[in-house]
Amino acid sequence: MATPYEQLLGKLTQQLDVIYKDINLQQTIEKLAQQLALLMNLHDDCSAVTPFTNQWSEEDVILITYGDSIVKDDEVPLKTLRRFINANMNETVNSVHILPFFPYSSDDGFSIIDYSTVNQSLGDWEDVKAIAKERHLMSDLVINHCSSRSFWFENFIKGEGEGHDFFFTAPADTDTSDVVRPRTSPLFREVNTPSGEQSVWCTFSHDQVDFDFRNPEVLKAFVIIIRQYLDMGVKIFRFDAIAFLWKIAGTSCINLPETHEVVRLLRTLIEHAKHDAIIITETNIPNPQNLTYFGNANEAHAIYNFSLPPLLINTLLTGNCLYLKRWLMSMPPAQDGTTYFNFIASHDGVGLRPVEGLLSDEETNALVKTIEGFGGKISCRTTEDGTQKPYEMNISLFDAMQGTTEGKDEFNMVRFVCAHAIMFALEGIPGIYIHSMLGTQNDYKKIEDTGSNRSINRHRWKDDLLVDALQDDTKHHANVLATLNKLLAIRIKQPAFHPNATQFTLHLGLQFFGFWRQSQDRKQSIFCISNVTDKPLSLPLSELNLIVNNSWYELISGEEITDLTQEIELAPYQSVWIANTRGK
């Protein structure tokens, strides 16, 4: 019987066969498999991986933040961040996603100059490891492209040294009419090299030059990077822009079979190196395509639930949960070994491609118009017919909740909390943006400074100003932090909120959005119901079919429900979590 190491090599060989089936390599596939295992520090003594294993629980909550979202004089930002989290979210947030913390040249970190070092303005690897010792650390693997100022690309321009053959080039007259991109900039960047002018592929910007994974040396380089990140305490890998990884002229160059196989290969290596490590794929694409990155529980452990933010915002701005409810009913339960990564705000804007086919053009346009009315900015992409189409809404989530499609109102705070109460209860792992935890509003000054719409939701708090804001009773920031912390403290004690616990959509009309969760041992049930309108509504408990010989509790208020025949009144945007136990 083959040893776990021999099984690993066999699996790597099969995966490499798929990736490089049409490419003439300078070495055998078997040799390449051995090299990758060695680079990942995997040897004869490696152990087998148990498939379909959930490496997460209801206690997992991921805070999304830049390393310098909070800055303090005479203190490196990673130390400031660690101190702030420990002081304000220590009991509720057990994981932190620090957005790219490496030297970079543009795109707020996503144009990396050097993958192996920490940006000196943020701190050093010791600061990163200090955070990783206290919480699960999530890091970006910016794998599709790097900075044009990187050592690798400088060698490409010189035509010698490591990196000189790492980048994807194509003849300038290549047919790119079917290429799918999220940007309107020219696809090719012309570069003079010793072998003549080269047209370098740039999916995102001319400062972000795309790698050529047809060259296995690129794959090896990233395996070395992954091994280093694991050694520095990274447990969760965010595969940034992974959908664009593999390019073939004449195709869409997105979601190609080779891309999926590269994800499977990297999962094989990562989970053998650290059994509880997790891969989350960042694929801001239509929902059916996004779901394919689960594979058969052999690709991403988790996928970004990109359809959730625009659908949930649309629900709360229209007072109608039709589209959100339809989508939730259509979502397949994640099988063991996989889960959803739920979020409703992040460093990026609210993507609109994930609601293609879910929202009508009229509904999308009304949503865009409303967000613009609340001070948001809209980013567009060029479609196949050359027209401009809204691609992303850029706005802080707190400001996105200022009102409805009818205009601004007095329900900003409760509408904002409702959005989180829904997200925290859904199947999957919740990810919450630091600026949502703080109720940060639109930063127009930063847009002026950077020229980027996304800067509107990338505020950098000065520590003393944040402390003052959290102590000022006339401002909302302390109330937001306390309220969301309270919801999270309840959530992490409920077995029915395990990311893989059963979920069914409730049918309570279009003004109540509801779903039922049941723990994996079937001992706990929670009915999660939200009034998504700006009017008080009565909910007959009889419609929930609560079991009469159970005790029932409303977890958010802490009250026991004694009369199952009563109607309970939900205030505008109020959420209730009705459970048969109080949890752990």
Side-chain angles (χ1 to χ4, degrees), residues 464-515:
D464 57 340
L465 296 180
L466 178 56
V467 170
D468 289 345
L470 290 172
Q471 293 175 345
D472 188 340
D473 293 339
T474 67
K475 296 181 178 179
H476 63 272
H477 303 289
N479 191 14
V480 167
L481 181 60
T483 303
L484 296 186
N485 265 329
K486 176 188 173 183
L487 286 176
L488 288 173
I490 298 168
R491 178 215 146 76
I492 62 178
K493 295 178 181 178
Q494 313 307 321
F497 286 157
H498 185 285
N500 293 86
T502 299
Q503 176 174 285
F504 284 110
T505 308
L506 300 177
H507 299 283
L508 303 169
L510 300 180
Q511 295 180 310
F512 286 119
F513 178 64
F515 49 93

CSV table of all heavy atoms in Angstrom, one decimal, residues 464-515:
chain,number,residue,atom,x,y,z
A,464,ASP,N,-5.9,58.7,18.2
A,464,ASP,CA,-6.5,59.6,19.2
A,464,ASP,C,-7.9,60.1,18.8
A,464,ASP,O,-8.8,60.2,19.7
A,464,ASP,CB,-5.5,60.8,19.5
A,464,ASP,CG,-5.2,61.6,18.2
A,464,ASP,OD1,-5.4,61.0,17.1
A,464,ASP,OD2,-4.8,62.7,18.4
A,465,LEU,N,-8.1,60.3,17.5
A,465,LEU,CA,-9.4,60.7,17.0
A,465,LEU,C,-10.4,59.6,17.2
A,465,LEU,O,-11.6,59.9,17.4
A,465,LEU,CB,-9.3,61.2,15.6
A,465,LEU,CG,-8.4,62.4,15.3
A,465,LEU,CD1,-8.4,62.8,13.8
A,465,LEU,CD2,-8.9,63.6,16.2
A,466,LEU,N,-10.0,58.4,16.9
A,466,LEU,CA,-10.9,57.2,17.1
A,466,LEU,C,-11.3,57.0,18.5
A,466,LEU,O,-12.4,56.8,18.8
A,466,LEU,CB,-10.2,55.9,16.5
A,466,LEU,CG,-11.0,54.7,16.7
A,466,LEU,CD1,-12.4,54.8,16.0
A,466,LEU,CD2,-10.3,53.5,16.1
A,467,VAL,N,-10.3,57.1,19.4
A,467,VAL,CA,-10.6,57.1,20.9
A,467,VAL,C,-11.6,58.1,21.2
A,467,VAL,O,-12.6,57.9,22.0
A,467,VAL,CB,-9.3,57.2,21.7
A,467,VAL,CG1,-9.7,57.3,23.2
A,467,VAL,CG2,-8.4,56.0,21.5
A,468,ASP,N,-11.4,59.4,20.8
A,468,ASP,CA,-12.4,60.4,21.1
A,468,ASP,C,-13.7,60.1,20.5
A,468,ASP,O,-14.8,60.4,21.2
A,468,ASP,CB,-11.8,61.8,20.5
A,468,ASP,CG,-10.6,62.3,21.2
A,468,ASP,OD1,-10.4,61.8,22.4
A,468,ASP,OD2,-10.0,63.2,20.7
A,469,ALA,N,-13.8,59.6,19.3
A,469,ALA,CA,-15.1,59.3,18.6
A,469,ALA,C,-15.8,58.2,19.4
A,469,ALA,O,-17.1,58.3,19.5
A,469,ALA,CB,-14.8,58.9,17.2
A,470,LEU,N,-15.1,57.2,19.9
A,470,LEU,CA,-15.7,56.1,20.6
A,470,LEU,C,-16.2,56.6,22.0
A,470,LEU,O,-17.0,55.9,22.7
A,470,LEU,CB,-14.8,54.9,20.7
A,470,LEU,CG,-14.5,54.2,19.4
A,470,LEU,CD1,-13.4,53.2,19.6
A,470,LEU,CD2,-15.8,53.5,18.9
A,471,GLN,N,-15.7,57.7,22.5
A,471,GLN,CA,-16.1,58.2,23.8
A,471,GLN,C,-17.1,59.3,23.7
A,471,GLN,O,-17.6,59.8,24.8
A,471,GLN,CB,-14.8,58.7,24.6
A,471,GLN,CG,-13.8,57.6,25.0
A,471,GLN,CD,-12.6,58.1,25.6
A,471,GLN,OE1,-12.3,59.3,25.5
A,471,GLN,NE2,-11.8,57.3,26.2
A,472,ASP,N,-17.4,59.7,22.5
A,472,ASP,CA,-18.4,60.8,22.3
A,472,ASP,C,-19.8,60.3,22.2
A,472,ASP,O,-20.1,59.6,21.2
A,472,ASP,CB,-18.0,61.6,21.0
A,472,ASP,CG,-18.8,62.9,20.8
A,472,ASP,OD1,-19.8,63.0,21.4
A,472,ASP,OD2,-18.3,63.7,20.1
A,473,ASP,N,-20.6,60.6,23.2
A,473,ASP,CA,-22.0,60.0,23.2
A,473,ASP,C,-22.9,60.6,22.1
A,473,ASP,O,-23.9,60.1,21.8
A,473,ASP,CB,-22.6,60.3,24.6
A,473,ASP,CG,-22.0,59.5,25.7
A,473,ASP,OD1,-21.4,58.5,25.4
A,473,ASP,OD2,-22.1,59.9,26.8
A,474,THR,N,-22.4,61.7,21.5
A,474,THR,CA,-23.2,62.4,20.4
A,474,THR,C,-23.0,61.7,19.1
A,474,THR,O,-23.7,62.0,18.1
A,474,THR,CB,-22.9,63.9,20.3
A,474,THR,OG1,-21.6,64.1,19.9
A,474,THR,CG2,-23.1,64.5,21.7
A,475,LYS,N,-22.0,60.8,19.0
A,475,LYS,CA,-21.7,60.1,17.8
A,475,LYS,C,-22.1,58.7,17.8
A,475,LYS,O,-22.3,58.1,18.9
A,475,LYS,CB,-20.2,60.2,17.5
A,475,LYS,CG,-19.7,61.7,17.2
A,475,LYS,CD,-18.2,61.8,16.9
A,475,LYS,CE,-17.8,63.2,16.6
A,475,LYS,NZ,-16.4,63.3,16.3
A,476,HIS,N,-22.2,58.0,16.7
A,476,HIS,CA,-22.7,56.7,16.6
A,476,HIS,C,-21.7,55.6,16.8
A,476,HIS,O,-22.0,54.4,16.9
A,476,HIS,CB,-23.4,56.5,15.3
A,476,HIS,CG,-22.5,56.6,14.1
A,476,HIS,ND1,-22.2,57.8,13.5
A,476,HIS,CD2,-21.8,55.7,13.4
A,476,HIS,CE1,-21.4,57.6,12.5
A,476,HIS,NE2,-21.1,56.3,12.4
A,477,HIS,N,-20.4,55.9,16.7
A,477,HIS,CA,-19.3,54.9,16.6
A,477,HIS,C,-19.3,53.9,17.8
A,477,HIS,O,-19.2,52.7,17.5
A,477,HIS,CB,-18.0,55.6,16.5
A,477,HIS,CG,-17.9,56.6,15.3
A,477,HIS,ND1,-17.9,56.1,14.0
A,477,HIS,CD2,-17.9,57.9,15.3
A,477,HIS,CE1,-17.8,57.2,13.2
A,477,HIS,NE2,-17.8,58.3,14.0
A,478,ALA,N,-19.4,54.4,19.0
A,478,ALA,CA,-19.4,53.5,20.1
A,478,ALA,C,-20.6,52.6,20.1
A,478,ALA,O,-20.6,51.4,20.5
A,478,ALA,CB,-19.4,54.3,21.4
A,479,ASN,N,-21.8,53.1,19.7
A,479,ASN,CA,-23.0,52.4,19.7
A,479,ASN,C,-22.9,51.2,18.7
A,479,ASN,O,-23.3,50.1,18.9
A,479,ASN,CB,-24.2,53.3,19.4
A,479,ASN,CG,-25.5,52.6,19.5
A,479,ASN,OD1,-25.6,51.5,20.2
A,479,ASN,ND2,-26.6,53.2,19.0
A,480,VAL,N,-22.3,51.6,17.5
A,480,VAL,CA,-22.1,50.5,16.5
A,480,VAL,C,-21.2,49.4,17.0
A,480,VAL,O,-21.5,48.2,16.9
A,480,VAL,CB,-21.5,51.2,15.2
A,480,VAL,CG1,-21.0,50.1,14.3
A,480,VAL,CG2,-22.5,52.1,14.5
A,481,LEU,N,-20.1,49.8,17.6
A,481,LEU,CA,-19.1,48.8,18.0
A,481,LEU,C,-19.8,47.9,19.1
A,481,LEU,O,-19.6,46.7,19.1
A,481,LEU,CB,-17.9,49.5,18.6
A,481,LEU,CG,-16.8,48.6,19.1
A,481,LEU,CD1,-16.2,47.6,18.0
A,481,LEU,CD2,-15.6,49.4,19.7
A,482,ALA,N,-20.4,48.5,20.1
A,482,ALA,CA,-21.1,47.7,21.2
A,482,ALA,C,-22.2,46.8,20.6
A,482,ALA,O,-22.3,45.7,21.1
A,482,ALA,CB,-21.6,48.7,22.2
A,483,THR,N,-23.0,47.3,19.7
A,483,THR,CA,-24.1,46.6,19.2
A,483,THR,C,-23.6,45.4,18.4
A,483,THR,O,-24.1,44.3,18.5
A,483,THR,CB,-25.0,47.4,18.4
A,483,THR,OG1,-25.5,48.6,19.2
A,483,THR,CG2,-26.3,46.7,17.9
A,484,LEU,N,-22.7,45.6,17.5
A,484,LEU,CA,-22.2,44.5,16.7
A,484,LEU,C,-21.4,43.5,17.6
A,484,LEU,O,-21.5,42.3,17.3
A,484,LEU,CB,-21.3,45.0,15.6
A,484,LEU,CG,-22.0,45.9,14.5
A,484,LEU,CD1,-21.1,46.2,13.4
A,484,LEU,CD2,-23.3,45.3,14.0
A,485,ASN,N,-20.7,44.0,18.6
A,485,ASN,CA,-20.0,43.0,19.5
A,485,ASN,C,-21.0,42.2,20.2
A,485,ASN,O,-20.8,41.0,20.5
A,485,ASN,CB,-19.1,43.8,20.5
A,485,ASN,CG,-17.7,43.9,20.0
A,485,ASN,OD1,-17.2,43.0,19.3
A,485,ASN,ND2,-17.0,45.0,20.4
A,486,LYS,N,-22.1,42.8,20.6
A,486,LYS,CA,-23.2,42.0,21.3
A,486,LYS,C,-23.7,40.9,20.4
A,486,LYS,O,-23.9,39.8,20.9
A,486,LYS,CB,-24.3,43.0,21.8
A,486,LYS,CG,-25.5,42.2,22.4
A,486,LYS,CD,-26.6,43.2,22.7
A,486,LYS,CE,-27.8,42.4,23.2
A,486,LYS,NZ,-29.1,43.2,23.4
A,487,LEU,N,-24.0,41.3,19.2
A,487,LEU,CA,-24.6,40.2,18.3
A,487,LEU,C,-23.5,39.1,18.0
A,487,LEU,O,-23.9,37.9,18.0
A,487,LEU,CB,-24.9,40.9,16.9
A,487,LEU,CG,-26.2,41.8,16.8
A,487,LEU,CD1,-26.3,42.4,15.5
A,487,LEU,CD2,-27.4,41.0,17.2
A,488,LEU,N,-22.3,39.5,17.9
A,488,LEU,CA,-21.2,38.5,17.7
A,488,LEU,C,-21.1,37.6,18.9
A,488,LEU,O,-20.9,36.4,18.8
A,488,LEU,CB,-19.9,39.1,17.3
A,488,LEU,CG,-19.8,39.7,15.9
A,488,LEU,CD1,-18.5,40.5,15.7
A,488,LEU,CD2,-20.0,38.6,14.8
A,489,ALA,N,-21.2,38.2,20.1
A,489,ALA,CA,-21.0,37.4,21.3
A,489,ALA,C,-22.1,36.4,21.4
A,489,ALA,O,-21.9,35.3,22.0
A,489,ALA,CB,-21.0,38.4,22.5
A,490,ILE,N,-23.3,36.7,21.0
A,490,ILE,CA,-24.4,35.7,21.0
A,490,ILE,C,-24.2,34.7,19.9
A,490,ILE,O,-24.3,33.5,20.1
A,490,ILE,CB,-25.8,36.5,20.7
A,490,ILE,CG1,-26.1,37.5,21.8
A,490,ILE,CG2,-26.9,35.4,20.6
A,490,ILE,CD1,-27.2,38.4,21.5
A,491,ARG,N,-23.8,35.1,18.7
A,491,ARG,CA,-23.6,34.2,17.6
A,491,ARG,C,-22.6,33.1,17.9
A,491,ARG,O,-22.9,31.9,17.6
A,491,ARG,CB,-23.1,35.0,16.4
A,491,ARG,CG,-22.8,34.1,15.2
A,491,ARG,CD,-21.7,34.5,14.3
A,491,ARG,NE,-21.0,33.4,13.7
A,491,ARG,CZ,-21.4,32.6,12.7
A,491,ARG,NH1,-22.6,32.9,12.1
A,491,ARG,NH2,-20.7,31.6,12.3
A,492,ILE,N,-21.5,33.4,18.5
A,492,ILE,CA,-20.4,32.4,18.6
A,492,ILE,C,-20.7,31.4,19.7
A,492,ILE,O,-19.9,30.4,19.8
A,492,ILE,CB,-19.1,33.1,19.0
A,492,ILE,CG1,-19.1,33.9,20.3
A,492,ILE,CG2,-18.6,34.1,17.8
A,492,ILE,CD1,-17.8,34.6,20.7
A,493,LYS,N,-21.8,31.5,20.4
A,493,LYS,CA,-22.2,30.5,21.4
A,493,LYS,C,-23.3,29.6,20.9
A,493,LYS,O,-23.8,28.7,21.6
A,493,LYS,CB,-22.8,31.2,22.6
A,493,LYS,CG,-21.7,32.0,23.4
A,493,LYS,CD,-22.3,32.8,24.6
A,493,LYS,CE,-21.2,33.6,25.3
A,493,LYS,NZ,-21.8,34.3,26.4
A,494,GLN,N,-23.7,29.7,19.6
A,494,GLN,CA,-24.8,29.0,19.1
A,494,GLN,C,-24.4,27.9,18.1
A,494,GLN,O,-23.9,28.2,17.0
A,494,GLN,CB,-25.8,29.9,18.3
A,494,GLN,CG,-26.2,31.1,19.1
A,494,GLN,CD,-26.7,30.9,20.5
A,494,GLN,OE1,-27.4,30.0,20.8
A,494,GLN,NE2,-26.3,31.8,21.4
A,495,PRO,N,-24.5,26.6,18.5
A,495,PRO,CA,-24.2,25.5,17.6
A,495,PRO,C,-25.0,25.5,16.2
A,495,PRO,O,-24.4,25.1,15.2
A,495,PRO,CB,-24.5,24.2,18.4
A,495,PRO,CG,-24.5,24.7,19.8
A,495,PRO,CD,-24.9,26.1,19.8
A,496,ALA,N,-26.2,26.1,16.3
A,496,ALA,CA,-26.9,26.2,15.0
A,496,ALA,C,-26.4,27.2,14.1
A,496,ALA,O,-26.8,27.3,12.9
A,496,ALA,CB,-28.4,26.5,15.3
A,497,PHE,N,-25.4,28.0,14.5
A,497,PHE,CA,-24.7,29.0,13.6
A,497,PHE,C,-23.4,28.4,13.1
A,497,PHE,O,-22.6,29.2,12.6
A,497,PHE,CB,-24.5,30.3,14.3
A,497,PHE,CG,-25.8,31.1,14.4
A,497,PHE,CD1,-25.9,32.1,15.4
A,497,PHE,CD2,-26.9,30.9,13.6
A,497,PHE,CE1,-27.1,32.9,15.5
A,497,PHE,CE2,-28.0,31.7,13.7
A,497,PHE,CZ,-28.1,32.7,14.7
A,498,HIS,N,-23.2,27.1,13.3
A,498,HIS,CA,-22.0,26.5,12.7
A,498,HIS,C,-22.0,26.8,11.2
A,498,HIS,O,-23.1,26.7,10.6
A,498,HIS,CB,-21.9,25.0,13.0
A,498,HIS,CG,-20.7,24.3,12.5
A,498,HIS,ND1,-20.5,24.1,11.1
A,498,HIS,CD2,-19.6,23.9,13.1
A,498,HIS,CE1,-19.3,23.5,11.0
A,498,HIS,NE2,-18.8,23.3,12.2
A,499,PRO,N,-20.9,27.1,10.6
A,499,PRO,CA,-21.0,27.4,9.1
A,499,PRO,C,-21.6,26.3,8.3
A,499,PRO,O,-22.1,26.7,7.2
A,499,PRO,CB,-19.5,27.6,8.8
A,499,PRO,CG,-18.9,28.1,10.1
A,499,PRO,CD,-19.6,27.4,11.2
A,500,ASN,N,-21.6,25.1,8.7
A,500,ASN,CA,-22.2,24.0,7.9
A,500,ASN,C,-23.5,23.5,8.5
A,500,ASN,O,-24.0,22.5,8.1
A,500,ASN,CB,-21.2,22.9,7.8
A,500,ASN,CG,-20.0,23.3,6.9
A,500,ASN,OD1,-19.1,23.8,7.4
A,500,ASN,ND2,-20.1,23.0,5.6
A,501,ALA,N,-24.1,24.2,9.5
A,501,ALA,CA,-25.4,23.8,10.1
A,501,ALA,C,-26.5,24.0,9.0
A,501,ALA,O,-26.4,24.8,8.1
A,501,ALA,CB,-25.7,24.6,11.3
A,502,THR,N,-27.5,23.2,9.1
A,502,THR,CA,-28.6,23.2,8.2
A,502,THR,C,-29.3,24.5,8.1
A,502,THR,O,-29.4,25.3,9.1
A,502,THR,CB,-29.7,22.1,8.6
A,502,THR,OG1,-29.1,20.8,8.6
A,502,THR,CG2,-30.9,22.1,7.7
A,503,GLN,N,-29.7,24.9,6.9
A,503,GLN,CA,-30.4,26.2,6.6
A,503,GLN,C,-31.5,26.0,5.7
A,503,GLN,O,-31.4,25.4,4.6
A,503,GLN,CB,-29.4,27.2,6.1
A,503,GLN,CG,-30.0,28.5,5.7
A,503,GLN,CD,-28.9,29.5,5.3
A,503,GLN,OE1,-28.2,30.1,6.1
A,503,GLN,NE2,-28.8,29.8,4.0
A,504,PHE,N,-32.7,26.5,6.0
A,504,PHE,CA,-33.9,26.5,5.2
A,504,PHE,C,-34.4,27.9,5.1
A,504,PHE,O,-34.5,28.6,6.2
A,504,PHE,CB,-34.9,25.5,5.6
A,504,PHE,CG,-34.6,24.1,5.3
A,504,PHE,CD1,-34.3,23.2,6.3
A,504,PHE,CD2,-34.6,23.6,4.0
A,504,PHE,CE1,-34.0,21.9,6.1
A,504,PHE,CE2,-34.3,22.3,3.7
A,504,PHE,CZ,-34.0,21.4,4.8
A,505,THR,N,-34.9,28.3,4.0
A,505,THR,CA,-35.5,29.6,3.8
A,505,THR,C,-37.0,29.6,4.3
A,505,THR,O,-37.7,28.6,4.0
A,505,THR,CB,-35.5,30.1,2.3
A,505,THR,OG1,-34.1,30.0,1.9
A,505,THR,CG2,-36.0,31.5,2.2
A,506,LEU,N,-37.4,30.6,5.1
A,506,LEU,CA,-38.8,30.6,5.5
A,506,LEU,C,-39.6,31.5,4.6
A,506,LEU,O,-39.1,32.4,3.9
A,506,LEU,CB,-38.8,31.3,6.9
A,506,LEU,CG,-38.0,30.6,8.0
A,506,LEU,CD1,-38.1,31.4,9.3
A,506,LEU,CD2,-38.6,29.1,8.3
A,507,HIS,N,-40.9,31.1,4.5
A,507,HIS,CA,-41.8,31.8,3.6
A,507,HIS,C,-42.8,32.7,4.5
A,507,HIS,O,-43.8,32.2,4.9
A,507,HIS,CB,-42.6,30.8,2.7
A,507,HIS,CG,-41.7,30.0,1.9
A,507,HIS,ND1,-41.1,30.5,0.7
A,507,HIS,CD2,-41.2,28.8,2.0
A,507,HIS,CE1,-40.3,29.6,0.2
A,507,HIS,NE2,-40.3,28.5,0.9
A,508,LEU,N,-42.4,33.9,4.6
A,508,LEU,CA,-43.1,34.8,5.5
A,508,LEU,C,-43.5,36.1,4.8
A,508,LEU,O,-43.7,37.1,5.4
A,508,LEU,CB,-42.3,35.2,6.7
A,508,LEU,CG,-41.8,34.0,7.6
A,508,LEU,CD1,-40.8,34.5,8.6
A,508,LEU,CD2,-43.0,33.3,8.3
A,509,GLY,N,-43.7,36.0,3.5
A,509,GLY,CA,-44.0,37.2,2.7
A,509,GLY,C,-42.7,37.9,2.3
A,509,GLY,O,-41.6,37.3,2.4
A,510,LEU,N,-42.8,39.1,1.7
A,510,LEU,CA,-41.7,39.8,1.2
A,510,LEU,C,-41.2,40.9,2.1
A,510,LEU,O,-40.1,41.5,1.9
A,510,LEU,CB,-42.0,40.4,-0.2
A,510,LEU,CG,-42.4,39.3,-1.2
A,510,LEU,CD1,-42.7,40.0,-2.6
A,510,LEU,CD2,-41.3,38.3,-1.4
A,511,GLN,N,-41.9,41.1,3.2
A,511,GLN,CA,-41.4,42.2,4.2
A,511,GLN,C,-40.7,41.6,5.3
A,511,GLN,O,-39.9,42.3,6.0
A,511,GLN,CB,-42.7,43.0,4.7
A,511,GLN,CG,-43.4,43.7,3.5
A,511,GLN,CD,-44.5,44.5,4.1
A,511,GLN,OE1,-45.4,44.0,4.8
A,511,GLN,NE2,-44.6,45.8,3.7
A,512,PHE,N,-40.8,40.3,5.6
A,512,PHE,CA,-40.0,39.6,6.5
A,512,PHE,C,-39.0,38.7,5.8
A,512,PHE,O,-39.4,38.0,4.9
A,512,PHE,CB,-40.8,38.7,7.4
A,512,PHE,CG,-41.7,39.4,8.5
A,512,PHE,CD1,-43.0,39.3,8.5
A,512,PHE,CD2,-41.1,40.1,9.5
A,512,PHE,CE1,-43.8,39.9,9.4
A,512,PHE,CE2,-41.8,40.7,10.5
A,512,PHE,CZ,-43.2,40.6,10.4
A,513,PHE,N,-37.7,38.8,6.1
A,513,PHE,CA,-36.8,37.9,5.5
A,513,PHE,C,-36.4,36.9,6.7
A,513,PHE,O,-35.9,37.4,7.7
A,513,PHE,CB,-35.5,38.6,5.0
A,513,PHE,CG,-34.5,37.7,4.5
A,513,PHE,CD1,-34.7,37.0,3.4
A,513,PHE,CD2,-33.2,37.6,5.1
A,513,PHE,CE1,-33.7,36.1,2.9
A,513,PHE,CE2,-32.2,36.8,4.6
A,513,PHE,CZ,-32.5,36.0,3.5
A,514,GLY,N,-36.6,35.6,6.4
A,514,GLY,CA,-36.3,34.7,7.4
A,514,GLY,C,-35.7,33.4,6.9
A,514,GLY,O,-35.9,33.0,5.8
A,515,PHE,N,-35.0,32.7,7.8
A,515,PHE,CA,-34.5,31.4,7.5
A,515,PHE,C,-34.3,30.7,8.9
A,515,PHE,O,-34.2,31.3,9.9
A,515,PHE,CB,-33.1,31.5,6.8
A,515,PHE,CG,-32.1,32.4,7.3
A,515,PHE,CD1,-31.1,32.0,8.2
A,515,PHE,CD2,-32.1,33.8,7.0
A,515,PHE,CE1,-30.2,32.9,8.8
A,515,PHE,CE2,-31.2,34.7,7.5
A,515,PHE,CZ,-30.2,34.2,8.4
